Amino acid sequence: MSLKSERRGIHVDQSELLCKKGCGYYGNPGWQGFCSKCWREEYSKARQRQIQEDWEFAERLQREEEAAYASSQGAPSLTFSKFEEKKTNETKRKVQTVKKFFSPSSRAAPKKADSQEAKSSSPSINRQASLETERASKDFIDFLKSFRKPGQDILKQCRGFIESMQHKKDLGIEEQSEFVQDFYQNMVDRLQTHSSFKGSSERIEKVMDQIENYIMTRLYKNVFCPETTDDEKKDLAVQKRIRALHWVTLEMLCVPVNEEIPEVYELVVKAITAVIEVDSRRVPRDKLTCITKCSKQIFNAIKITKNEPASADDFLPTLIYIVLKANPPRLQSNIQYITRFCNPSRLMTGEDGYYFTNLCCAVAFIEKLDAQSLNLTQEDFDRYMSGQASPKKQDSEEWSPDTCPGLKQMYKNLNLISQLNERQHNILSDAKQLEKDLIDWSEGVTKEVEDIIEKFPLDIKPRGQPVAAIDSDNVENDKLPPPIQPQVFVG
């Protein structure tokens, strides 16, 4: 098995990450391969076609209804002329209602009177904001203070937009997304024409980041994973899929990362932590920051393992492995949320857009992963997926001569670790047996001593009379010098 053959199911050419319309920006599977700008154009065209089809269908229904009524009543009489006129007006009104519902004008902001009425009747607008929302509002106001009059205008526009979004909760999530994207574009155009920001794209980008942080913190609960979408269903499907793929190894994905190196292992853990943290953020930009952080940890881990900079072919398989190890919560919901409500300039260009596109590709690969992608037989793949068997470690000697030497060394190290693990298990077993033998020997010796004492009991004789003088019979005592002359003690 060669390294080249292993990559055939995972390799993604860099041109495939770009918009398929050829505009040069990054595409996205969520936008059917288009970038944000091209997707909105295609979506707008499709919606206009749908509106036209619905309009034609409504007109056809009107004509059929009028024809059926005329045929059932015969020639129209003067008596029913007013009735027919009223019916015709009613039918036209229904058609106009259908047209208005599907037309872009229906998404316009409500009139001032309606807005005031909705504001007074909607308790959600006046509800107590969370601590995070209050913090975001305070930070946004403090940020705008340095801009003085332009800052007041920006704050007014943002507050008006948030208020208008409160009246659009019943609309589809795609329409809400389009409102947010239109607001982003309108704010960029407004800032570009203002003297304080003219010619300073960096300042405009900084302001737009703060605007996104402010409005999306306020709208998060309403637009993240709404009940009107199937985002939750997709989340559960992806989690189930990742759990079923728990057996996939580094070698199957050809991941150039050696987790036996402590520094590399620490980077892998940090990458897993970063991709899990995506779900804890509210703002799309902050979620992208977590994805970028995860990707940079991956590149560092590959660089340390290979002692050279990582390539795109190394990055994507490693990102897939990290996602499989992490199984991030609400993965599809977070991807859809970023796609719908992030500032499009971040997704179309820059490192954030590149890493996010790769994450989308990784998730798409996991959803379609099959036996051929992992260079397995269909039989083995089905057995691993069902849990009937688990993959065995392959001996490095079975590889072909053109296999990567690093991969061979990796397998050799894994085999050595397996042998050491087995030896350690044997040592622990022998130590437990030795402990048992010592306990048995101690108990045996104690029992033998007790048996001997029971068989040969000790016969202790009574104590005799004490001796009056130990050296009383020694007649030479008087000739000894005083220091060593024995003394006589009376018992």
Side-chain angles (χ1 to χ4, degrees):
M1 187 190 313
S2 65
L3 186 65
K4 183 177 180 180
S5 65
E6 280 201 53
R7 292 191 184 276
R8 65 184 180 186
I10 303 176
H11 174 72
V12 175
D13 192 87
Q14 292 302 294
S15 61
E16 299 178 19
L17 301 178
L18 300 177
C19 176
K20 66 181 183 181
K21 202 170 182 179
C23 64
Y25 295 118
Y26 289 121
N28 191 309
W31 295 325
Q32 299 180 6
F34 293 102
C35 68
S36 175
K37 181 180 179 182
C38 296
W39 166 247
R40 293 185 67 192
E41 293 176 355
E42 294 295 325
Y43 180 74
S44 178
K45 292 178 181 178
R47 189 179 56 208
Q48 291 297 331
R49 287 195 299 268
Q50 183 65 39
I51 293 172
Q52 184 64 28
E53 292 175 0
D54 292 336
W55 167 245
E56 294 174 354
F57 178 71
E59 286 185 329
R60 187 169 70 252
L61 287 179
Q62 177 184 354
R63 290 193 299 267
E64 292 176 356
E65 185 178 355
E66 291 177 348
Y69 179 78
S71 62
S72 63
Q73 297 296 328
S77 61
L78 296 175
T79 308
F80 294 98
S81 59
K82 292 184 178 180
F83 173 77
E84 289 180 341
E85 182 180 355
K86 182 179 180 181
K87 184 177 185 304
T88 302
N89 293 335
E90 181 69 12
T91 305
K92 289 183 178 180
R93 187 185 65 80
K94 292 180 179 179
V95 173
Q96 292 294 333
T97 302
V98 173
K99 182 179 179 181
K100 183 179 179 182
F101 179 79
F102 286 101
S103 64
S105 61
S106 65
R107 298 189 308 275
K111 295 181 180 180
K112 186 175 181 180
D114 296 337
S115 176
Q116 294 294 335
E117 181 181 356
K119 182 176 180 180
S120 61
S121 61
S122 177
S124 61
I125 298 177
N126 300 321
R127 69 182 184 272
Q128 182 67 24
S130 64
L131 293 177
E132 188 171 356
T133 302
E134 291 179 353
R135 191 185 310 114
S137 300
K138 183 179 181 302
D139 293 343
F140 186 57
I141 293 174
D142 293 341
F143 172 78
L144 294 178
K145 284 181 180 178
S146 60
F147 297 101
R148 297 185 180 181
K149 188 174 181 181
Q152 295 177 0
D153 180 62
I154 293 172
L155 182 61
K156 180 180 178 181
Q157 294 294 327
C158 292
R159 285 179 172 175
F161 174 75
I162 292 174
E163 182 179 338
S164 67
M165 285 294 292
Q166 298 294 333
H167 305 281
K168 297 180 174 64
K169 293 180 181 179
D170 297 333
L171 296 180
I173 191 64
E174 296 301 334
E175 290 183 320
Q176 295 185 50
S177 170
E178 190 168 357
F179 278 121
V180 174
Q181 298 296 333
D182 288 340
F183 177 73
Y184 286 153
Q185 187 60 48
N186 292 336
M187 289 303 300
V188 170
D189 296 340
R190 197 179 187 93
L191 293 174
Q192 287 176 344
T193 57
H194 202 282
S195 58
S196 301
F197 303 96
K198 204 169 185 178
S200 178
S201 58
E202 184 176 348
R203 293 187 69 187
I204 293 177
E205 183 178 355
K206 188 176 181 180
V207 173
M208 290 304 301
D209 288 343
Q210 294 295 326
I211 290 175
E212 177 187 339
N213 183 77
Y214 175 65
I215 65 173
M216 293 315 303
T217 302
R218 300 287 298 272
L219 300 176
Y220 176 79
K221 291 183 179 180
N222 297 331
V223 299
F224 181 83
C225 191
E227 296 179 356
T228 56
T229 65
D230 59 348
D231 292 348
E232 185 177 0
K233 182 179 179 180
K234 291 180 179 178
D235 290 335
L236 296 176
V238 170
Q239 283 191 344
K240 182 178 179 181
R241 176 70 171 174
I242 292 177
R243 283 196 297 267
L245 293 170
H246 67 90
W247 48 268
V248 176
T249 62
L250 288 164
E251 295 75 28
M252 292 178 180
L253 294 171
C254 198
V255 176
V257 169
N258 186 2
E259 293 184 328
E260 300 302 324
I261 302 175
E263 189 176 359
V264 173
Y265 179 77
E266 184 178 354
L267 291 171
V268 170
V269 173
K270 289 181 178 179
I272 293 174
T273 304
V275 76
I276 292 176
E277 285 180 354
V278 172
D279 188 60
S280 64
R281 302 291 187 261
R282 284 193 171 193
V283 184
R285 180 172 60 90
D286 294 341
K287 292 180 181 290
L288 280 179
T289 301
C290 292
I291 296 173
T292 301
K293 180 180 178 182
C294 168
S295 302
K296 289 183 176 181
Q297 303 290 1
I298 291 174
F299 272 106
N300 291 335
I302 297 174
K303 182 178 180 181
I304 294 174
T305 302
K306 298 180 64 177
N307 291 324
E308 62 182 20
S311 64
D313 289 339
D314 296 329
F315 170 67
L316 183 58
T318 311
L319 180 59
I320 293 170
Y321 176 74
I322 293 297
V323 173
L324 290 175
K325 292 278 285 186
N327 197 0
R330 300 193 291 186
L331 182 57
Q332 281 289 2
S333 291
N334 283 289
I335 289 177
Q336 292 297 328
Y337 177 71
I338 295 172
T339 301
R340 292 165 182 157
F341 299 105
C342 185
N343 190 343
S345 62
R346 285 191 170 274
L347 299 183
M348 295 164 60
T349 57
E351 63 177 7
D352 288 345
Y354 174 77
Y355 294 139
F356 179 70
T357 303
N358 275 275
L359 177 63
C360 295
C361 291
V363 175
F365 176 83
I366 291 172
E367 292 176 339
K368 299 177 181 178
L369 187 142
D370 55 12
Q372 184 179 5
S373 303
L374 301 175
N375 276 338
L376 298 173
T377 63
Q378 189 62 43
E379 181 182 0
D380 289 341
F381 182 82
D382 294 338
R383 289 170 60 227
Y384 298 157
M385 289 293 292
S386 63
Q388 298 178 359
S390 59
K392 298 179 180 178
K393 296 184 176 68
Q394 185 173 358
D395 191 355
S396 59
E397 296 179 358
E398 299 178 5
W399 294 89
S400 58
D402 58 343
T403 304
C404 173
L407 199 58
K408 292 182 178 180
Q409 184 64 37
M410 187 182 301
Y411 269 105
K412 183 178 179 180
N413 294 340
L414 288 174
N415 290 334
L416 290 175
I417 292 173
S418 177
Q419 294 175 11
L420 290 174
N421 187 33
E422 185 177 356
R423 290 177 61 184
Q424 183 182 13
H425 178 73
N426 294 335
I427 291 173
L428 290 175
S429 299
D430 293 342
K432 290 181 179 180
Q433 184 62 40
L434 178 60
E435 181 182 8
K436 184 177 181 300
D437 293 342
L438 288 174
I439 294 174
D440 293 342
W441 176 80
S442 177
E443 292 177 351
V445 171
T446 303
K447 189 175 183 304
E448 289 181 2
V449 171
E450 291 176 350
D451 293 341
I452 294 174
I453 292 175
E454 182 180 359
K455 187 176 181 180
F456 304 101
L458 293 178
D459 185 12
I460 302 177
K461 296 181 179 181
R463 185 176 180 181
Q465 294 295 327
V467 180
I470 298 177
D471 298 326
S472 58
D473 296 337
N474 192 345
V475 295
E476 301 293 333
N477 287 343
D478 55 342
K479 297 180 180 181
L480 294 174
I484 60 175
Q485 185 176 4
Q487 299 179 8
V488 178
F489 295 93
V490 179

